Amino acid sequence: MSGTRPPARPAPRPASRCCKRNVFSAENTFDLKYSQACELGCISAGANDKQIKAASEFGECIGIAFQIQDDILDVTSSDEELGKPVGSDAENSKSTYVSLLGIEKCRELVDELTKKAVNALQGFDGDTTELEDFAYKLAKRNK
């Protein structure tokens, strides 16, 4: 199949349709991995379109919240507390959510995205407590 070009890579998505911001994800595939993993789990289980969409939103929101929290910890934590070197993003002049928005705004976004992720779970029947707890644990992690 020479002469056939691979599909064009999609443009980076906004940091979140969930929170309607114009920030581009520093790790633009990070949220996609969580979103797609959640979708695939639902598809495998025979979920309906509403549930697949809810799972996608849940995954996207927790994926972005996780990345933002990671950026916050890179600035506010210690090597000992985090278990890995901190400050490397700044040393490498890496563009992060914190460098673009500041720590306080990032903390607000983590809370907002986590709430939106939990709200997305309303698309499912049954007990979603474990997924809700998981989302809140990711948002409040310090490692």
Side-chain angles (χ1 to χ4, degrees), residues 115-135:
K115 288 174 188 170
K116 289 192 178 284
V118 169
N119 286 338
L121 295 172
Q122 292 177 2
F124 295 94
D125 298 327
D127 186 9
T128 59
T129 304
E130 287 186 41
L131 290 173
E132 292 171 25
D133 291 346
F134 176 66

Side-chain angles (χ1 to χ4, degrees), residues 13 16 29 67 86 119 121 132 139:
R13 295 186 322 154
S16 175
T29 59
Q67 181 60 53
V86 297
N119 286 338
L121 295 172
E132 292 171 25

Side-chain angles (χ1 to χ4, degrees), residues 46-63:
N48 62 40
D49 288 344
K50 178 182 172 189
Q51 292 168 324
I52 294 169
K53 183 177 178 182
S56 178
E57 183 173 7
F58 176 81
E60 180 180 2
C61 289
I62 66 165

Side-chain angles (χ1 to χ4, degrees), residues 50-127:
K50 178 182 172 189
Q51 292 168 324
I52 294 169
K53 183 177 178 182
S56 178
E57 183 173 7
F58 176 81
E60 180 180 2
C61 289
I62 66 165
I64 297 168
F66 182 93
Q67 181 60 53
I68 296 171
Q69 185 66 14
D70 197 63
D71 290 352
I72 291 170
L73 292 173
D74 191 64
V75 173
T76 61
S77 192
S78 68
D79 292 359
E80 296 78 28
E81 188 176 36
L82 200 54
K84 66 178 186 178
V86 297
S88 61
D89 291 339
E91 287 175 18
N92 295 316
S93 300
K94 186 176 177 184
S95 181
T96 66
Y97 286 101
V98 172
S99 68
L100 295 170
L101 301 173
I103 291 174
E104 288 309 312
K105 188 63 175 176
C106 285
R107 286 185 174 138
E108 291 172 18
L109 277 173
V110 169
D111 289 342
E112 185 178 337
L113 287 163
T114 301
K115 288 174 188 170
K116 289 192 178 284
V118 169
N119 286 338
L121 295 172
Q122 292 177 2
F124 295 94
D125 298 327
D127 186 9

Side-chain angles (χ1 to χ4, degrees), residues 39-47:
E39 285 179 29
L40 287 172
C42 283
I43 291 167
S44 298

Side-chain angles (χ1 to χ4, degrees), residues 1-22:
M1 297 188 112
S2 64
T4 304
R5 297 183 351 150
R9 187 174 188 174
R13 295 186 322 154
S16 175
R17 290 173 303 211
C18 297
C19 63
K20 296 181 174 75
R21 300 281 189 247
N22 268 341

